[in-house]
Amino acid sequence: VQLQASGGGLVQPGGSLKLSCEISGFTSDPLTIGWFRQAPGQGREGVSCISSHGLPTYADSVKGRYTISRDTAKNTVYLQMNSLKSEDTAVYYCATGSTVMSTMYPLETSSYSSWGQGTQVTVSS
């Protein structure tokens, strides 16, 4: 499985961005896809996840502001980010891994084994 994240950029506080994670080399069954972020000097944290059945999970820090979705026909998972704050600044990654582990621990990095390259999101005025 290969993952390609895109859509990052510079946005003012309160603005919006939509990230995309294009998935290739997978089976016909939908995969669980997670979004993670890593700010400078900090560890990688789980932001959101969409299960193989389409069920979303969100970290408390983004709940109500971020929306994860999937376009099966395009083999792409999206992360719509609204009301962005300076503390959302980070490199964002998408990942996939064990269905069992990601169901039990959807926002834990250890549940994921295949990672895309990151895309930079900078929230600044």
Side-chain angles (χ1 to χ4, degrees):
V1 175
Q2 293 181 327
L3 306 169
Q4 178 84 23
S6 61
L10 173 64
V11 63
Q12 293 185 341
S16 299
L17 278 177
K18 187 174 185 178
L19 305 184
S20 300
C21 178
E22 186 174 350
I23 307 149
S24 60
F26 66 106
T27 69
S28 59
D29 296 326
L31 299 171
T32 296
I33 300 295
W35 280 101
F36 294 78
R37 67 186 180 187
Q38 188 166 16
Q42 298 186 21
R44 194 168 296 188
E45 66 167 340
V47 173
S48 182
C49 163
I50 186 164
S51 75
S52 59
H53 300 290
L55 297 177
T57 301
Y58 299 98
D60 289 342
S61 58
V62 306
K63 203 170 292 183
R65 300 189 298 122
Y66 289 16
T67 303
I68 192 168
S69 62
R70 181 198 303 272
D71 186 329
T72 303
K74 294 183 178 180
N75 300 325
T76 302
V77 170
Y78 302 100
L79 186 68
Q80 176 68 47
M81 307 185 296
N82 299 328
S83 302
L84 284 163
K85 307 174 182 180
S86 58
E87 52 262 44
D88 296 318
T89 295
V91 178
Y92 283 69
Y93 302 87
C94 58
T96 191
S98 162
T99 299
V100 172
M101 290 299 293
S102 58
T103 298
M104 295 176 63
Y105 310 105
L107 299 181
E108 296 291 328
T109 57
S110 59
S111 298
Y112 297 82
S113 54
S114 297
W115 294 81
Q117 92 296 345
T119 185
Q120 176 72 47
V121 172
T122 303
V123 184
S124 175
S125 55

